[in-house]
Amino acid sequence: MFALGVDPGLSRCGYGVVGRSRAGLAVSSAGVIRTPPADPLATRLASLYAEMRRLLAEVQPDVVVVERVLFQANARTAMAVGQASGVALVAAAEAGCPVVQYSPNEVKQAVTGYGSATKEQVQRMVQSLLRLPERPKPPDVADALALAICHLTGTGLRAAVAAAGGTP
Amino acid sequence: MFALGVDPGLSRCGYGVVGRSRAGLAVSSAGVIRTPPADPLATRLASLYAEMRRLLAEVQPDVVVVERVLFQANARTAMAVGQASGVALVAAAEAGCPVVQYSPNEVKQAVTGYGSATKEQVQRMVQSLLRLPERPKPPDVADALALAICHLTGTGLRAAVAAAGGTP
């Protein structure tokens, strides 16, 4: 099973494909989609959309895991993140992929056991869980991989079941 | 010249097509795109995207005018508005339409002469400017028409020139 994690952003949109087999978790591919800040907003979003569609066609993931962004101190950044996440969600839906979303705290909790973990702690745990030779950079890539891990390890699923009042 | 105004939203996305000729401004069509709140977020955004594309193909506007949302008190709503605006911007770019954006205050200033006008004042002025038999409802439709008017009357353009330090 392959999960495509997406950490939405306009300047940098992180993605990471993680596969789960009997041998454990393994990175299949990861990177960052960038759009030129000098371009008009609509052009940047269309470019992100095209790149996301290309990635989805190439990877054909079983599930797309997109960060649920609830609030950010910087309203301007929050709006750009919202727009980018909207584009990522549409691309996934158009590709016929199931979509799940987890909040940053759920992901940190799942990956590090601590909902308020720092960016560096997430990077280190992702490196360890995926047995990578070095820390995934930039943090957008680590966050995207963490999203995929969160879903694949079932921690996110168990949290969702528990939140719904079920017994995980 | 036809301008398609879009007031982005997930539950209700207002749109309004306004034409400008020697006879003045006139509404060509207007309405609201709704997505079912019970549907998954990605499905709702994909549905909005499909409706926007259908509308753009039908209207073939010379320009798409999308509200620039900078901040909203309700973080949850702001994120949904950001996602919807991202989808609208991508649809416009994919359709090859030029896109312009104005903030709510710029639109209110252009339409009512007062940047802090109420929803009702905007509705009344849009009704008057477009010689409509009654106030456009819901407010999302009035806002979308106001965006188109803001652009077509050049008020938005003059404001942009002035802000850039030029002489309107």
Side-chain angles (χ1 to χ4, degrees):
Chain A
M1 181 179 192
F2 285 93
L4 167 62
V6 179
D7 181 29
L10 189 57
S11 295
R12 290 192 314 273
C13 179
Y15 68 88
V17 185
V18 179
R20 188 189 62 192
S21 66
R22 288 186 186 175
L25 300 173
V27 178
S28 169
S29 67
V32 168
I33 299 170
R34 296 172 195 270
T35 65
D39 282 359
L41 176 60
T43 308
R44 298 178 73 184
L45 289 166
S47 159
L48 174 60
Y49 180 66
E51 286 295 311
M52 280 297 303
R53 294 209 65 166
R54 192 193 51 72
L55 184 64
L56 285 157
E58 186 184 302
V59 172
Q60 304 204 327
D62 298 292
V63 62
V64 179
V65 192
V66 182
E67 183 170 303
R68 175 185 287 123
V69 189
L70 300 174
F71 180 73
Q72 286 196 336
N74 185 329
R76 196 178 187 88
T77 310
M79 198 45 63
V81 170
Q83 288 165 330
S85 89
V87 168
L89 291 167
V90 168
E94 294 269 307
C97 289
V99 176
V100 290
Q101 293 197 279
Y102 300 106
S103 71
N105 282 12
E106 285 170 331
V107 175
K108 288 174 187 170
Q109 180 70 42
V111 173
T112 70
Y114 180 50
S116 302
T118 64
K119 289 266 176 206
E120 196 187 325
Q121 287 169 329
V122 170
Q123 284 176 307
R124 286 190 187 282
M125 277 307 293
V126 168
Q127 178 189 2
S128 170
L129 290 166
L130 298 175
R131 298 175 303 280
L132 300 172
E134 53 187 43
R135 273 187 282 163
K137 291 174 193 170
D140 315 72
V141 173
D143 288 346
L145 290 168
L147 280 156
I149 294 169
C150 171
H151 186 74
L152 289 173
T153 56
T155 316
L157 184 64
R158 285 198 298 276
V161 171
T167 308
Chain B
M1 182 179 190
F2 285 94
L4 167 62
V6 178
D7 180 30
L10 189 57
S11 296
R12 291 191 313 273
C13 179
Y15 69 88
V17 185
V18 179
R20 186 188 63 191
S21 66
R22 287 185 186 176
L25 299 173
V27 178
S28 169
S29 67
V32 168
I33 299 171
R34 294 173 195 271
T35 65
D39 282 0
L41 175 60
T43 308
R44 297 177 73 185
L45 290 166
S47 160
L48 173 60
Y49 180 66
E51 286 295 312
M52 280 298 303
R53 296 210 65 167
R54 191 193 52 70
L55 184 63
L56 285 157
E58 187 183 301
V59 172
Q60 303 201 327
D62 297 292
V63 61
V64 179
V65 192
V66 182
E67 183 170 303
R68 176 185 286 125
V69 190
L70 299 174
F71 181 73
Q72 287 195 335
N74 186 330
R76 196 181 187 87
T77 310
M79 197 46 60
V81 170
Q83 288 165 330
S85 87
V87 168
L89 291 167
V90 168
E94 294 268 308
C97 290
V99 176
V100 289
Q101 293 198 277
Y102 299 106
S103 72
N105 282 12
E106 286 169 332
V107 175
K108 288 175 188 171
Q109 180 71 42
V111 174
T112 70
Y114 180 50
S116 303
T118 64
K119 289 266 175 206
E120 196 186 325
Q121 287 168 330
V122 171
Q123 284 175 305
R124 286 189 188 283
M125 276 308 293
V126 168
Q127 178 189 2
S128 170
L129 290 166
L130 298 174
R131 298 175 304 282
L132 301 172
E134 53 186 43
R135 272 187 282 162
K137 292 175 193 168
D140 317 73
V141 173
D143 288 345
L145 290 168
L147 280 156
I149 293 169
C150 172
H151 185 73
L152 289 173
T153 56
T155 317
L157 184 61
R158 285 199 296 275
V161 171
T167 308

